[in-house]
Amino acid sequence: MAVPVVDELAVCLIQTDLFWEDVTANLSSLEEKIAAIDHPVDVIVLPEMFNSGFTMNTSIAEHMNMTTTKWMKHMALQTNALIIGSFAVKEGGNFFNRLMCVRPDGSFVYSDKRHLFRMGEEHDTYTPGNSRLIVEWRGWKIFPLVCYDLRFPVWSRNSSDNPYDLLIYVASWPGRRAHAWNTLLQARAIENLSYVAGINRIGQDGNGIHYQGDSVALDFLGEPLFAMGNKESEKVIKLSMPALQKYKDSFPAYLDADHFDIR
């Protein structure tokens, strides 16, 4: 079946607290929140490690196509939307903070978190990714990344060779660094001439770290389309491709971007 092209992409961000290292509880809770979305959407975005919280306990890591992957396939089929989120995966003796993009037909693509948060010892636990994933969905090109990747603009750079329209960050970003979260998201939108969505969790994890949410959608000028504050909620925003293209045509700064290779 052909995937329809849409001028307006309806994106739902789910900002939520998470049950610490409890896959069953998190999937059940998120299923209720997804069921509460009261009109059709094209994309549903979940926080980083949405099935466990940001943990270095690899006992919760799953092999591919097990519980969480099957749940994502089920949710994508039910909602007819692309489901995006990350969780811990075990593969070939290594562990990955893997970002999955699952389509309604059950097909999926994924990439692994590139920049591992050494201050939380993530680099000692998980293996970094080495490839960028740009997903084409309903006529849009979407570039999903994970949390700490936000601090590294080179990896996020919009390229004329493989451009994107929407940059997404799924995160477990502590409240004490909220200023950096908000500032860097704006910078990524402005410098890349793209929409940006940042989805962060709320609540407190098993290590006593507090998360205040601040999930947001920004336009290509870095202006907020909505900001979710620190409450548990689901928010849908419609992004306009004609508005994006009109601005890029009138202000084509990307034509003067520096060319470089990432190693």
Side-chain angles (χ1 to χ4, degrees), residues 50 64-65 69 72 83-87 89 98-102 108-111 133:
F50 64 85
M64 291 291 285
N65 210 31
T69 303
M72 292 183 77
I83 308 289
I84 298 175
S86 87
F87 61 97
V89 169
R98 179 158 290 175
L99 189 145
M100 294 275 289
C101 301
V102 182
F108 61 85
V109 289
Y110 64 84
S111 63
L133 171 69

Side-chain angles (χ1 to χ4, degrees), residues 10 58 66 73 75 85-86 106 117 132-133 145 147 160 188 200 220 222 254 256:
T58 55
M66 297 296 284
K73 288 181 178 182
M75 291 297 99
S86 87
F117 189 58
R132 290 168 29 125
L133 171 69
L145 292 170
C147 202
S160 58
R188 297 295 88 83
N200 191 28
F220 34 82
Y254 63 93
D256 300 313

Side-chain angles (χ1 to χ4, degrees), residues 13-198:
L13 305 186
I14 298 182
Q15 178 170 283
T16 184
D17 198 353
L18 297 173
F19 296 92
W20 184 243
E21 298 180 354
D22 190 333
V23 173
T24 300
N26 283 311
L27 298 187
S28 296
S29 174
L30 285 165
E31 187 165 349
E32 291 181 359
K33 290 175 171 59
I34 290 171
I37 302 170
D38 58 5
H39 50 275
V41 295
D42 299 299
V43 182
I44 298 172
V45 190
L46 309 174
E48 179 183 21
M49 288 195 179
F50 64 85
N51 70 346
S52 65
F54 183 65
T55 178
M56 302 306 108
N57 178 6
T58 55
S59 69
I60 56 90
E62 300 178 14
H63 291 284
M64 291 291 285
N65 210 31
M66 297 296 284
T67 300
T68 301
T69 303
K70 290 178 178 178
W71 178 88
M72 292 183 77
K73 288 181 178 182
H74 181 61
M75 291 297 99
L77 177 62
Q78 277 197 337
T79 60
N80 194 34
L82 182 73
I83 308 289
I84 298 175
S86 87
F87 61 97
V89 169
K90 181 178 182 180
E91 186 175 83
N94 294 317
F95 299 97
F96 301 90
N97 186 345
R98 179 158 290 175
L99 189 145
M100 294 275 289
C101 301
V102 182
R103 306 181 187 94
D105 65 1
S107 64
F108 61 85
V109 289
Y110 64 84
S111 63
D112 299 317
K113 186 177 181 180
R114 165 78 167 189
H115 300 93
L116 302 177
F117 189 58
R118 69 176 54 249
M119 285 67 81
E121 300 181 349
E122 187 180 19
H123 67 304
D124 291 330
T125 307
Y126 297 97
T127 299
N130 57 14
S131 62
R132 290 168 29 125
L133 171 69
I134 295 180
V135 185
E136 294 197 35
W137 180 241
R138 295 182 178 166
W140 289 66
K141 291 187 175 182
I142 302 170
F143 185 20
L145 292 170
V146 184
C147 202
Y148 193 43
D149 287 333
L150 175 60
R151 287 186 176 269
F152 301 94
V154 172
W155 191 244
S156 306
R157 185 60 55 84
N158 211 344
S159 165
S160 58
D161 296 329
N162 191 14
Y164 58 79
D165 310 302
L166 169 60
L167 179 60
I168 292 176
Y169 293 95
V170 304
S172 291
W173 195 284
R176 62 179 175 267
R177 289 188 288 276
H179 177 70
W181 166 258
N182 292 312
T183 303
L184 292 172
L185 286 169
Q186 285 188 306
R188 297 295 88 83
I190 294 167
E191 70 193 7
N192 290 303
L193 296 179
S194 76
Y195 290 105
V196 170

